[in-house]
Amino acid sequence: MHDHDHARTVKPMVDEITDFEVLEIALRELCIEKGLFTAEQHRHLTEFAEQIGPTAAARLVAKAWLDPQFKALALNDPIAACRQVGVDWLEPTGFGTPSDFVAFKILEDTPTVHHVICCALCSCYPRPILGNSPEWYRTPNYRRRIVRWPRQVLSEFGLQLAEGVEVRVEDSNQKHRFMVMPMRPAGTEGWTEDQLAEILTRDSLIGVSLPKPGVTTNVITKARPANNPISSSGAPS
Amino acid sequence: GSEVVRNRHHIEAVGIGDPQRFAGLADPARFALGDRVRVRNLPAMFYTRTPEYVRGARGTIAELAYESPAPEDETWDREDAKPEWFYIVRFNQTELWESYTGPANDTLQTEIPERWLEPA
């Protein structure tokens, strides 16, 4: 038996690279080499995807709660209403994102109708105004069950609705993208737009929860860590 | 670059948006708001976006959405595809699921191109 010096064993220079990463690089480099898109365009789209989030959507609904005229605009011409909270659906290509299109509709909850959105065919989501979709929204589980057992699924999110309330599932299976405009909850009288926007969580704009004074985060679910997560600087860590 | 085939979509839609670029290109809408329709059971080999769960079901036109080529054509980039009207159709959940367990007034809405619809 020779005397193996474990302390001097050579460590890999980089963390393990997955098949997915190898293929991502191969595909991207080939596309750039063949001129299908440029490296700059790739960066441009990545930057677009990094600056979207649910803030603008929350702002839009808070404004609508405070201003009946803006609310009417949000319901009748939602694309124009989005521009007033800094979201131009024609970005970043000049004709919209290729996968989110330019057909947006805001679903107004009433005392007798509650909306919840899904994409049973894949994961269509109003990304320009609401950011990237949550992982659970893309799962076959949510997509299969929400259309057929909406009340059971909503109750798993902690949302129980009375029998008298019509639950309306909106399946975004074509070019329209949807967002829910929940009802303004009691206990928010005299609140500013900032205060109202804070309780308009992503989940409440999907329709799996209701805005509630004091609740400013989404339902806490177990987050599955990525192998190679996007760091706060935007670069892989 | 205007002669490059893959630039066509960009050139036609830039500054307008998709589906706005197809506005005015479909035949007049066959259905109006509030019309009762039934979803046809067309062959759907290789691709469709009309969910299986609405085939044969009766619903109500909730909105004339926009004009666009149907996804069954667009997904294969069929150049001769004619845009048609899309509708948001509202279904009663009890019409879709034989064993629906919720209240009778629960609904589901989804968007369907005209070719899939007939008067109920």
Side-chain angles (χ1 to χ4, degrees), chain A residues 68-113:
Chain A
Q69 242 182 326
F70 182 76
K71 181 177 169 182
L73 179 72
L75 297 175
N76 297 322
D77 190 352
I79 301 278
C82 287
R83 277 197 293 270
Q84 294 200 20
V85 292
V87 172
D88 182 351
W89 280 76
L90 289 179
E91 285 182 1
T93 62
F95 62 88
T97 83
S99 57
D100 307 298
F101 301 100
V102 190
F104 178 54
K105 203 169 154 52
I106 298 172
L107 309 167
E108 185 192 12
D109 282 354
T110 70
T112 53
V113 182

Side-chain angles (χ1 to χ4, degrees), chain A residues 94 102 105 166 170-171 176, chain B residues 15 20 53 63 107 109 111:
Chain A
V102 190
K105 203 169 154 52
E166 169 188 337
E170 185 79 55
D171 186 356
H176 255 121
Chain B
Q20 286 80 352
Y53 65 74
E63 185 168 327
T107 53
Q109 294 191 161
E111 209 161 81

Side-chain angles (χ1 to χ4, degrees), chain A residues 20-31:
Chain A
F20 179 86
E21 289 164 301
V22 171
L23 290 171
E24 186 275 325
I25 294 165
L27 193 62
R28 173 160 43 89
E29 291 194 342
L30 266 171
C31 286

